[in-house]
Structures are given as structure tokens and as C-alpha cells.
């Protein structure tokens, strides 16, 4: 499984139009903001279902209307395609839950 280093990760994020994600400590991170707690929780629920089906789980936290996410493939020791796939799914879910 390919492990992405910072330069490659930044290029991949640019190639697939992953706005707002940053590379940090061998992973990628993003903060999402919603109108309220219900929207934030619905987003996390949808993301959790997808993550469980694909056996790839984010590190995340939620305070009221904010969700902070960090992705890294722990069993591979760094950033992999699994992380980019989950990031893109989360961005897609954000578009559905942030209205």
C-alpha cells in the first residue's frame, strides 16, 4: 500500500480538488462547521456508516456545530489512498448536511 509523503499528498489533494484539507504529521486534517449540532451530528453519523462499511475510521471530535477530522491509515503507518477516499466522501457528505 502506497504511503504518501507531504509533497505527494499536497499534489493529490490538489488533483482531486480537496479544498480545506491540510497535511500534518503524516495525515490530513480538516475542520467543518455547520449551522447547528443536529447538522454536525448527522454528518458524523453518515461518515461513521461509510467508515464502518469500509473498515477505515477517522479520528474526529465534535463541539456543538464544529467537527474536526484527522485521517491517517494507522496500520500502514501513514497516509494512504484509503484516507483520500474517506476525505472525499466526507466532503460530499458535508455538502448534503451543511445546508
Amino acid at each position: 500500500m502506497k504511503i504518501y509523503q507531504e509533497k505527494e499528498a499536497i499534489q493529490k489533494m490538489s488533483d482531486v480538488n480537496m479544498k480545506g484539507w491540510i497535511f500534518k504529521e503524516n495525515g490530513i486534517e480538516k475542520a467543518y462547521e455547520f449551522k447547528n449540532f443536529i447538522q454536525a451530528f448527522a454528518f458524523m453519523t453518515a461518515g461513521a456508516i461509510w467508515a464502518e462499511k469500509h473498515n477505515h475510521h477517522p479520528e474526529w471530535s465534535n463541539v456543538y456545530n464544529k467537527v474536526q477530522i484527522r485521517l491517517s491509515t494507522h496500520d500502514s503507518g501513514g497516509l494512504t489512498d484509503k484516507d483520500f477516499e474517506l476525505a472525499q466522501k466526507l466532503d460530499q457528505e458535508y455538502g448534503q448536511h451543511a445546508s
Side-chain angles (χ1 to χ4, degrees):
M1 184 171 291
K2 178 174 178 51
I3 304 294
Y4 289 86
Q5 301 304 317
E6 183 173 13
K7 195 172 193 176
E8 296 171 304
I10 291 169
Q11 183 62 53
K12 181 157 178 107
M13 288 187 287
S14 174
D15 290 347
V16 295
N17 200 28
M18 289 173 50
K19 293 186 172 141
W21 288 92
I22 60 164
F23 182 90
K24 185 176 179 183
E25 299 173 4
N26 296 317
I28 53 176
E29 298 182 5
K30 185 172 183 176
Y32 294 94
E33 189 168 339
F34 301 85
K35 288 183 183 176
N36 55 45
F37 175 74
I38 296 297
Q39 284 183 345
F41 197 82
F43 165 78
M44 290 180 75
T45 301
I49 291 168
W50 191 94
E52 184 64 18
K53 285 181 183 177
H54 292 86
N55 194 31
H56 189 60
H57 306 92
E59 294 176 35
W60 56 11
S61 64
N62 165 244
V63 177
Y64 181 58
N65 67 331
K66 294 178 177 69
V67 177
Q68 179 72 36
I69 297 178
R70 175 174 169 71
L71 301 176
S72 181
T73 305
H74 299 289
D75 57 355
S76 294
L79 191 61
T80 69
D81 285 323
K82 291 172 96 175
D83 300 302
F84 291 108
E85 290 170 19
L86 180 52
Q88 290 174 299
K89 179 62 177 171
L90 292 168
D91 282 347
Q92 181 183 42
E93 289 296 332
Y94 179 73
Q96 295 175 18
H97 294 281
S99 55

